[in-house]
Amino acid sequence: MAKNEAVETSEAQIAVHWQEEEYVYPSKEFIEQANIKDESIYERFALDNFPECYTEYADLLHWYKKWDTILDTSDAPCWKWFVGGKINACYNCVDRHLENNKNKTAIHFVPEPENERIEHITYQELYVRVNEFAVLLRDFAGLKAGDRVTLHMPMTEDLPITMLACARLGVIHTKVFGGFSGRACADRIVDSQSRVLITIDGYYRGGKFRDHKKNADIAVDLSKKDGQEVDKVLIWQRYPGKKISSTPLVNGRDYLVNDLLKDFRGKRVEPVSMPAEDTLFLMYTSGTTGKPKGCQHSIGGYLAYVTGTSKYIQDIHPEDVYWCMADIGWITGHSYIVYGPLSLCASTVIYEGVPTYPDAGRAWRIAEELDVNIFHTAPTIIRALRKIGPDEPVKYNYHFKHMTTVGEPIEPEVWKWFYKVIGKGEAVVVDTWWQTETGGFLCSTMPAIKPMKPGSAGPGVPGIYPVIYDEFGNEIKAGEGRAGNICIRNPWPGAFQTIWGDRDRYISTYYAKYCKDKNSKDWRDWPYLTGDAAMEAEDGYYRILGRIDDVINVSGHRLGTKEIESASFLVQEVAEAAVVPVADEIKGVVPDLYISLKPGYEASDELAAKISAAICDTIGKIARPRKVWLVSDMPKTRSGKIMRRVLGAISNKKAVGDVSTLANPEIVDEIKKKVSS
Ligand code: WT7
């Protein structure tokens, strides 16, 4: 297999060796009930009909005022969708469903402790709770349209209520993954200039109670040091009115939401009619430099795109019970737990805890009890479920019509287990490839139209035109058997607007590489660089091979290798650090960390543990290295560059190749010995 030079040193090797698989076809029953049954959608979304085709998605929404311009390219490559339109995301996800469906469940909240009952929140109840909290945000916290608020919350129903309350006012929410540290939270507070932090006292995960409030104290202190003052911390309670966290409240800064809410019972606020092009939220993601990028998503374009793709790719009907196992702290949760499903008036499941807690049957008991029929998860979770309970699903009486996998390439073998055992051979599978930046799906099969192919995401979804370029900008064609940089030819409404506060970085990271003319206002000159390597098969299906930049994908989530490396420098003994991805049975990829120490320091297990702890404190446990290897020196080129490729080969027990040109080739054997012992 010919391989692109640029993908050689990265994690983009995972899926290269897989065979092309046979097609698997959707059942007649699925096709009969599907939202889209015929190929004509591809014609409607043909490039010739671009950008007008996307009004089909916008028409799924309620607009206070229709747009004047569908796509405005005058500020290329910051594309503006539905310009002149006025809309409110909360109205579309809540208010508009009341007339016909106020008694329908909007959110099923499943607590992790199994002795606690599942809560079923109707659209009417959601409306009441969102309104009361929105008035609190306005009148108590003083927030107004355009302000940013940081949310550091786990998976409880308070989280979508908070997001929707912000959206109701036009306040921009920036949600930080609940498992991230206080430090990571502080970085996002500072970058987004939030003066209000919303959090919770605690929650359950893996059978343990987690005191979450203490992270807020760390986050607020560190933000202040970095120049951003937080004047209010609003704290939800896992059990309203009951004290479960021992962390004290700070007078004049910390407020329990449930105390404040007493003053706002029965209060309502009209949704603010917002320009479609204003910002709905920021979602931070890792890039090649240490600093996370605040991906800025619009209201109108984003909501149109996630509503359209939820309807056609997820095949959500209002009567469906939809369970996406992702965390709302990632883009998957924003688009396909909260905004997409609620906009379509579905019932969406929010599960607090670990899918395999307390045992391998938990997920299937939830599916059975709630009669879930659409199930959305990630390869890392599928692998974990398969490992601990390969025969478990058959014991439970649930039936999925549709299943989604997202976040990283899925091995054909794991795909087949997902299909046969979890899906019981009844459900279609869509492998959806996309990114934080893209707001919604880029490649996937259309479930009732295109057959599935294990290991391949599929063709571009309607309206998305991928193209693969080599390093020199030549197109690599379908069926050539070569990998390259996968780009998208055209803009689409779900795409992020820019990086918050850093337009230059937005352009240089995503558009500079293959831009045909920097002064052009024509979208055809600005292909979007995804940063993934991919191959296109003869049938137009794309197989995604992984990241080509310095980012590794752990359990389907991007972590910057530089972020992890710089966290290790907080330990003063550290001289040099290098992170490499290692293939992992469950998580897909995990980081291995190589460290060389400053002169005069001795390697020890304690020191390795200290470095590991520094990384968990700075970023969160998700970034914990598999191993911290303390080595006497790093393999280096003559110009002094650390050869991560060599370290990666050693960690993955692969051949290191020719190292004779290194400045210090002898170190390679020494490190090899250490790692293999
Ligand atoms: C990166 C984006 C998309 C939401 C979750 C992660 C990888 C994502 C797939 C897939 C192969 C995939 C890519 C992408 N990825 N989905 N179906 N097959 N790879 O969002 O943290 O922004 O990560 O995840 O490498 O660039 P994210």
Side-chain angles (χ1 to χ4, degrees):
M1 233 257 356
K3 236 198 291 167
N4 185 319
E5 282 292 300
V7 307
E8 194 199 14
T9 56
S10 72
E11 63 155 348
Q13 315 157 334
I14 312 166
V16 183
H17 305 291
W18 302 346
Q19 307 247 320
E20 281 290 304
E21 297 281 331
E22 299 284 318
Y23 288 135
V24 178
Y25 291 87
S27 69
K28 218 174 75 225
E29 294 76 38
F30 180 82
I31 296 172
E32 269 165 15
Q33 62 79 58
N35 277 326
I36 290 276
K37 304 183 179 47
D38 74 287
E39 294 261 354
S40 68
I41 184 160
Y42 286 106
E43 281 154 42
R44 295 201 299 280
F45 281 80
L47 217 39
D48 287 346
N49 297 331
F50 181 87
E52 292 75 17
C53 54
Y54 278 114
T55 57
E56 184 169 333
Y57 286 177
D59 286 338
L60 297 170
L61 303 177
H62 165 273
W63 294 81
Y64 297 111
K65 177 180 173 287
K66 286 263 155 126
W67 51 91
D68 309 311
T69 312
I70 298 168
L71 173 62
D72 173 0
T73 65
S74 60
D75 190 27
C78 294
W79 316 115
K80 295 189 173 56
W81 285 88
F82 308 119
V83 178
K86 288 288 192 65
I87 190 165
N88 185 281
C90 177
Y91 181 89
N92 275 283
C93 292
V94 184
D95 304 44
R96 68 164 167 156
H97 305 317
L98 297 181
E99 190 178 336
N100 298 319
N101 284 300
K102 61 174 176 278
N103 282 326
K104 183 176 190 298
T105 299
I107 294 170
H108 297 284
F109 169 61
V110 185
E112 191 188 74
E114 228 168 342
N115 59 355
E116 280 181 36
R117 291 208 63 95
I118 296 178
E119 252 185 82
H120 311 279
I121 299 162
T122 62
Y123 274 96
Q124 177 68 20
E125 169 81 1
L126 184 61
Y127 170 78
V128 169
R129 287 166 74 169
V130 165
N131 266 283
E132 290 176 350
F133 191 60
V135 180
L136 185 161
L137 290 180
R138 185 192 63 186
D139 295 352
F140 179 76
L143 291 166
K144 55 179 192 320
D147 291 346
R148 277 82 56 207
V149 171
T150 298
L151 282 44
H152 193 205
M153 299 170 70
M155 289 286 283
T156 70
E157 82 276 21
D158 306 321
L159 176 50
I161 289 171
T162 304
M163 291 161 67
L164 292 164
C166 290
R168 195 168 189 84
L169 301 175
V171 169
I172 301 169
H173 56 77
T174 88
K175 166 75 184 84
V176 179
F177 171 54
F180 273 159
S181 63
R183 168 82 259 175
C185 182
D187 291 343
R188 288 149 179 83
I189 290 174
V190 173
D191 192 73
S192 64
Q193 300 142 305
S194 303
R195 46 172 203 81
V196 175
L197 171 65
I198 305 177
T199 186
I200 194 167
D201 52 355
Y203 61 100
Y204 289 94
R205 212 173 152 76
K208 285 195 210 103
F209 173 73
R210 315 272 165 151
D211 180 350
H212 190 59
K213 198 295 193 167
K214 62 179 200 275
N215 294 315
D217 295 339
I218 298 171
V220 172
D221 287 350
L222 293 172
S223 308
K224 190 170 178 188
K225 285 197 188 108
D226 289 345
Q228 179 63 34
E229 193 99 37
V230 171
D231 47 50
K232 285 195 174 65
V233 178
L234 305 181
I235 305 157
W236 289 93
Q237 284 169 292
R238 175 65 175 76
Y239 302 101
K242 206 168 132 190
K243 185 169 182 282
I244 51 166
S245 159
S246 51
T247 311
L249 300 185
V250 175
N251 225 340
R253 186 198 77 182
D254 293 358
Y255 300 91
L256 295 175
V257 170
N258 298 294
D259 287 350
L260 299 173
L261 272 176
K262 293 188 185 96
D263 296 335
F264 297 96
R265 293 280 177 243
K267 293 261 163 56
R268 304 284 180 264
V269 49
E270 278 303 302
V272 178
S273 167
M274 296 292 296
E277 258 308 288
D278 276 18
T279 301
L280 181 59
F281 65 86
L282 307 179
M283 171 64 69
Y284 283 84
T285 191
S286 295
T288 47
T289 66
K291 198 173 162 226
K293 301 174 281 198
C295 294
Q296 180 183 319
H297 283 282
S298 71
I299 304 175
Y302 170 83
L303 195 65
Y305 197 71
V306 300
T307 304
T309 49
S310 293
K311 180 158 184 179
Y312 297 147
I313 312 288
Q314 301 286 82
D315 199 51
I316 295 179
H317 301 57
E319 56 275 20
D320 288 326
V321 180
Y322 170 91
W323 183 15
C324 171
M325 273 190 175
D327 193 289
I328 297 175
W330 311 109
I331 190 73
T332 306
H334 275 48
S335 300
Y336 299 114
I337 296 177
V338 179
Y339 286 111
L342 293 179
S343 169
L344 292 172
C345 195
S347 302
T348 190
V349 177
I350 294 179
Y351 173 50
E352 178 178 32
V354 177
T356 50
Y357 181 85
D359 56 61
R362 181 65 193 275
W364 320 125
R365 289 196 289 281
I366 295 171
E368 183 181 286
E369 173 161 356
L370 294 175
D371 201 12
V372 171
N373 65 344
I374 306 182
F375 183 66
H376 186 153
T377 190
T380 179
I381 295 178
I382 302 170
R383 291 185 209 108
L385 289 165
R386 175 169 173 245
K387 190 165 182 199
I388 78 159
D391 306 319
E392 209 63 17
V394 71
K395 300 179 191 160
Y396 295 89
N397 183 24
Y398 69 83
H399 295 276
F400 298 146
K401 67 165 184 173
H402 182 294
M403 304 195 298
T404 304
T405 165
V406 63
E408 55 178 316
I410 180 166
E411 300 82 346
E413 211 187 296
V414 176
W415 191 102
K416 287 174 195 166
W417 184 79
F418 187 39
Y419 178 76
K420 281 198 197 112
V421 181
I422 297 188
K424 305 181 177 178
E426 301 164 334
V428 290
V429 173
V430 292
D431 179 349
T432 57
W433 168 68
W434 57 296
Q435 313 177 296
T436 303
E437 293 86 340
T438 71
F441 305 143
L442 294 175
C443 282
S444 164
T445 50
M446 289 287 283
I449 304 175
K450 299 271 183 199
M452 308 158 240
K453 188 160 72 173
S456 291
V461 299
I464 297 289
Y465 291 88
V467 54
I468 300 178
Y469 290 121
D470 69 12
E471 272 310 292
F472 312 102
N474 305 310
E475 274 186 50
I476 299 177
K477 292 273 157 35
E480 262 188 60
R482 276 203 302 148
N485 295 316
I486 183 164
C487 299
I488 309 298
R489 290 182 197 278
N490 59 301
W492 65 99
F496 68 143
Q497 304 171 295
T498 185
I499 295 172
W500 178 256
D502 202 344
R503 184 193 159 108
D504 289 347
R505 191 173 176 204
Y506 166 79
I507 297 176
S508 63
T509 309
Y510 301 99
Y511 290 98
K513 190 169 175 96
Y514 295 116
C515 176
K516 293 168 196 144
D517 170 6
K518 288 204 165 61
N519 298 316
S520 172
K521 304 288 175 209
D522 185 340
W523 56 264
R524 289 169 195 82
D525 292 323
W526 294 94
Y528 166 77
L529 178 76
T530 65
D532 281 341
M535 281 198 303
E536 185 183 5
E538 214 136 347
D539 56 6
Y541 279 40
Y542 292 90
R543 192 190 296 177
I544 307 300
L545 309 179
R547 308 286 308 161
I548 54 172
D549 53 18
D550 295 339
V551 171
I552 65 173
N553 187 323
V554 181
S555 299
H557 297 293
R558 279 150 64 186
L559 293 173
T561 50
K562 293 228 166 61
E563 272 175 88
I564 303 176
E565 289 167 7
S566 57
S568 63
F569 286 108
L570 295 175
V571 176
Q572 59 119 355
E573 292 91 335
V574 171
E576 292 170 309
V579 166
V580 296
V582 190
D584 180 272
E585 207 193 323
I586 303 288
K587 295 181 175 162
V589 175
V590 288
D592 247 14
L593 174 62
Y594 287 83
I595 295 284
S596 69
L597 299 174
K598 288 179 190 158
Y601 291 108
E602 287 289 313
S604 68
D605 289 350
E606 292 74 53
L607 189 51
K610 193 160 111 184
I611 295 167
S612 193
I615 290 164
C616 294
D617 288 349
T618 312
I619 304 170
K621 290 204 178 71
I622 190 169
R624 186 203 301 275
R626 180 191 69 139
K627 280 292 270 180
V628 177
W629 302 106
L630 300 175
V631 296
S632 61
D633 197 6
M634 300 281 190
K636 286 186 192 132
T637 62
R638 299 228 163 104
S639 61
K641 221 176 126 197
I642 300 176
M643 288 297 282
R644 289 181 172 72
R645 177 177 66 78
V646 172
L647 296 171
I650 296 174
S651 278
N652 287 289
K653 310 219 173 342
K654 296 254 166 68
V656 292
D658 182 13
V659 293
S660 61
T661 58
L662 293 188
N664 53 351
E666 66 291 344
I667 194 72
V668 176
D669 273 336
E670 192 187 314
I671 297 178
K672 250 203 222 154
K673 241 197 235 140
K674 181 166 207 144
V675 173
S676 61
S677 69

